[in-house]
Amino acid sequence: MTCTSCEHHVSVALENIGAKCIEVDFHRGEAVFELLNDVGVETAKNAIAEVKYQPGEVEVEDVQSQVEVDLGCEDDYDYIIIGSGGAAFSSAIEAVGYGAKVAMIERGTVGGTCVNVGCVPSKTLLRAGEINHLAKSNPFIGLHTSASDVDLGSLIKQKNELVTDLRNSKYVDLIEDYGFELIKGEAKFVDEKTVEVNGMKLSAKRFLIATGASPAVPNIPGLDEVDYLTSTTLLELKKVPKRLTVIGSGYIGMELGQLFHNLGSEVTLMQRSPRLLKEYDPEVSEAITQALIEQGVNLVTGASFERMEQDGDIKKVYVEVNGEKRTIEADQLLVATGRTPNTEHLNLQAVGVEVGSRGEIITDDYSKTTNSRIYAAGDVTLGPQFVYVAAYQGGIAAGNAIGGLSKKLNLEVVPGVMFTAPAIATVGLTEQQAKEKGYEVKTSVLPLDAVPRALVNRETTGVFKLVADAKTLKILGAHIVAENAGDVIYAATFAVKFGLTIEDLRETLAPYLTMSEGLKLAALTFDKDVSKLSCCAG
């Protein structure tokens, strides 16, 4: 068998001889079914052979008692989804479109990470921080605020109201609109067709695990005795701390660190790596490092964490940097060192679902786990940690699990945005990744002070970088550090996805005094000095 059409032909052949509970999987090259007493295995093998498929080895189990009790082999649901975030809802909506009976199991708050404790609350607070920072730094306003001046309680209240509204309109209300069932409780697999929730056993033909991830906690001596914060609990503070230390300088650490810097905290970002965002192009790391230093954020890189302790309300971090021992004190400590998949309580070993070294569920190109009945999507797989990727994976999983499709995931071109100031946005390959894939690489690096919009904004710390195939001149990657970089990257995503060339970008008109003009200027920079061109020339 090589496709879903093969699955259909084999299923029909088995139905014609009276087989029940038929499950055919071309990926695994197997068919599982039950036969009535008067139908033998040879009859089944002949039926398969008659539709031009070669039956292999046969494994027979005694299922007579089951057949006598329930010849219909009906399950409670066609599709059970564990989790209720972006992947889960996308998958449920897709499955309902195929006429499936769907249940969703959620142990906590409906909506998952993004709307409740991730994207939505952090970005609305980031906006508040930006406004506060602009007010402080604008000489025409003459406003001077500190951490004690900001009414964080009111901001948190407004944030919670927005979160509630979006949770209801984008998640809770859709349950009734699409007609699937929500079951509150924690799910645990009993076998490959059954989960247990609140002491109740529920069966389904297919499952999706979309349980997301939670803040990871590093193994640092003394940390478990310190009142530290995570990205979830930080967003519930009612008072801006005078000093905030952040362990970890990835997108979570930088965004939240800069948020509280803009609200008036003295912020220190700490990490083990000697440079920020080491997986990004060096020009990106250099630009954001320069921006943070200019803004007054304290950076401690290349740190070896020795221990942590708490003295009253003060948190102390003992580190060694370049052979020098240092102690960093803070009123609040944020741990932002990545995410851990929520798989611990699912009893995955009972159903043969393999996990990786960090607890992530291993899936194939079709979102299927190592158990052909069970799929997984979203952060629980530790793929790109974006809600739009999770929703895409969830839709693919439903199409394959319920719709009978055989659609592969395509995550080769995934734009990513970090909502710092300036923002960081990337898509496609870095220069190093392109070289590792065997490309002969051609790059252009455009400093932000060459972009007229940045000059007008008087915010010129940043960069545009394009990576191209030197032979075909196709754009392989785009990397931007600039205000509104997240809006600009969508155009670059089209360029990478559809194989546009340097010349395509040069010949496309770009509106003057927009940040997106930087893409065209970066394309011109491959072989021209844009500082010697008049406005819009090229």
Side-chain angles (χ1 to χ4, degrees):
M1 295 185 291
T2 59
C3 63
T4 53
S5 179
C6 302
E7 291 178 343
H8 175 72
H9 293 317
V10 172
S11 295
V12 171
L14 292 170
E15 288 174 0
N16 289 339
I17 63 169
K20 299 290 184 180
C21 304
I22 301 166
E23 296 283 351
V24 183
D25 188 334
F26 85 85
H27 297 298
R28 298 175 64 176
E30 69 177 24
V32 179
F33 52 92
E34 296 180 7
L35 297 173
L36 299 181
N37 291 337
D38 57 346
V39 179
V41 172
E42 288 302 317
T43 302
K45 292 175 70 174
N46 291 336
I48 293 172
E50 286 177 5
V51 290
K52 310 302 182 185
Y53 296 95
Q54 181 61 44
E57 296 181 6
V58 178
E59 184 177 329
V60 179
E61 296 181 7
D62 182 10
V63 295
Q64 181 174 349
S65 59
Q66 180 180 342
V67 173
E68 289 175 349
V69 174
D70 182 11
L71 289 179
C73 304
E74 292 183 0
D75 295 300
D76 297 316
Y77 300 94
D78 297 307
Y79 198 39
I80 287 180
I81 300 170
I82 306 173
S84 69
F89 268 79
S90 172
S91 205
I93 292 169
E94 185 78 8
V96 167
Y98 288 106
K101 183 181 180 182
V102 178
M104 184 180 290
I105 302 171
E106 173 54 59
R107 67 179 180 178
T109 304
V110 172
T113 295
C114 183
V115 72
N116 290 307
V117 296
C119 323
V120 171
S122 65
K123 275 47 176 186
T124 189
L125 289 176
L126 276 167
R127 181 56 179 161
E130 289 169 4
I131 293 171
N132 185 66
H133 175 68
L134 288 171
K136 287 192 299 180
S137 60
N138 192 322
F140 298 103
I141 296 176
L143 180 64
H144 301 282
T145 61
S146 64
S148 60
D149 296 321
V150 174
D151 185 358
L152 186 57
S154 294
L155 292 179
I156 296 298
K157 181 175 182 293
Q158 294 173 30
K159 177 266 292 184
N160 290 340
E161 290 171 350
L162 175 64
V163 166
T164 299
D165 288 344
L166 285 176
R167 181 196 304 127
N168 289 335
S169 63
K170 295 299 182 181
Y171 293 90
V172 176
D173 294 348
L174 299 184
I175 296 172
E176 183 176 349
D177 290 346
Y178 286 95
F180 52 88
E181 184 177 349
L182 175 67
I183 300 168
K184 298 301 292 288
E186 186 163 72
K188 179 180 74 173
F189 280 99
V190 176
D191 56 48
E192 65 175 14
K193 294 194 69 175
T194 313
V195 291
E196 183 176 328
V197 187
N198 304 325
M200 174 177 56
K201 291 184 178 179
L202 303 172
S203 63
K205 295 182 176 66
R206 295 285 186 272
F207 293 86
L208 174 71
I209 301 171
T211 48
S214 301
V217 180
N219 184 20
I220 301 176
L223 180 59
D224 57 348
E225 300 176 5
V226 173
D227 295 328
Y228 63 86
L229 300 166
T230 67
S231 57
T232 300
T233 55
L234 180 75
L235 298 182
E236 294 303 325
L237 288 180
K238 299 299 190 291
K239 180 181 178 181
V240 177
K242 183 178 180 180
R243 297 173 299 177
L244 173 69
T245 293
V246 182
I247 308 298
S249 299
Y251 73 96
I252 295 174
M254 282 211 288
E255 287 183 1
L256 297 182
Q258 197 172 54
L259 159 63
F260 277 83
H261 169 74
N262 288 339
L263 292 176
S265 293
E266 178 186 336
V267 173
T268 300
L269 294 178
M270 308 182 70
Q271 68 171 37
R272 289 189 171 95
S273 175
R275 78 173 171 95
L276 296 181
L277 304 178
K278 63 180 180 179
E279 69 276 17
Y280 286 63
D281 266 303
E283 293 86 354
V284 170
S285 300
E286 292 164 7
I288 194 62
T289 298
Q290 181 183 346
L292 290 172
I293 292 173
E294 289 174 350
Q295 293 165 21
V297 175
N298 303 315
L299 299 180
V300 178
T301 58
S304 176
F305 294 94
E306 295 185 346
R307 72 183 193 279
M308 298 186 184
E309 65 180 39
Q310 184 158 336
D311 183 5
D313 292 332
I314 303 302
K315 288 78 176 175
K316 297 182 178 181
V317 183
Y318 295 89
V319 296
E320 183 175 315
V321 182
N322 297 325
E324 178 187 349
K325 294 185 182 298
R326 297 177 58 183
T327 303
I328 310 297
E329 296 187 354
D331 303 287
Q332 294 289 359
L333 176 68
L334 169 64
V335 175
T337 53
R339 309 275 290 172
T340 298
N342 296 323
T343 56
E344 184 179 359
H345 302 293
L346 291 171
N347 195 28
L348 296 178
Q349 66 274 14
V351 289
V353 171
E354 292 184 11
V355 298
S357 60
R358 295 169 60 188
E360 74 277 14
I361 295 180
I362 296 172
T363 58
D364 63 14
D365 290 340
Y366 303 89
S367 277
K368 188 179 292 185
T369 71
T370 47
N371 185 315
S372 62
R373 292 180 183 272
I374 302 171
Y375 292 70
D379 290 359
V380 76
T381 67
L382 283 189
Q385 304 279 286
F386 305 117
V387 67
Y388 45 93
V389 172
Y392 166 70
Q393 291 174 320
I396 294 290
N400 292 338
I402 301 301
L405 305 181
S406 183
K407 190 171 182 179
K408 285 188 175 183
L409 292 166
N410 183 355
L411 295 176
E412 292 182 356
V413 184
V414 177
V417 181
M418 198 176 299
F419 291 86
T420 49
I424 303 168
T426 68
V427 67
L429 302 177
T430 64
E431 181 178 351
Q432 182 62 33
Q433 288 169 340
K435 290 177 179 177
E436 290 172 355
K437 286 182 173 289
Y439 288 102
E440 183 183 338
V441 174
K442 187 174 184 179
T443 65
S444 75
V445 178
L446 179 76
L448 201 61
D449 59 12
V451 180
R453 180 73 227 183
L455 294 172
V456 170
N457 292 348
R458 300 186 182 276
E459 295 284 354
T460 57
T461 299
V463 69
F464 276 73
K465 180 174 182 177
L466 295 179
V467 179
D469 181 348
K471 295 180 179 178
T472 65
L473 300 185
K474 289 183 178 180
I475 303 298
L476 302 175
H479 312 276
I480 306 168
V481 181
E483 183 183 13
N484 297 327
D487 298 321
V488 176
I489 204 65
Y490 193 46
T493 302
F494 279 106
V496 176
K497 181 177 177 64
F498 296 106
L500 300 186
T501 65
I502 296 169
E503 198 60 32
D504 290 327
L505 291 185
R506 286 173 174 164
E507 293 180 351
T508 301
L509 294 176
Y512 185 54
L513 287 180
T514 65
M515 199 61 75
S516 59
E517 184 188 13
L519 285 176
K520 178 169 183 175
L521 292 171
L524 291 170
T525 301
F526 275 103
D527 55 18
K528 288 185 178 182
D529 182 354
V530 296
S531 68
K532 303 299 183 182
L533 298 176
S534 63
C535 294
C536 305

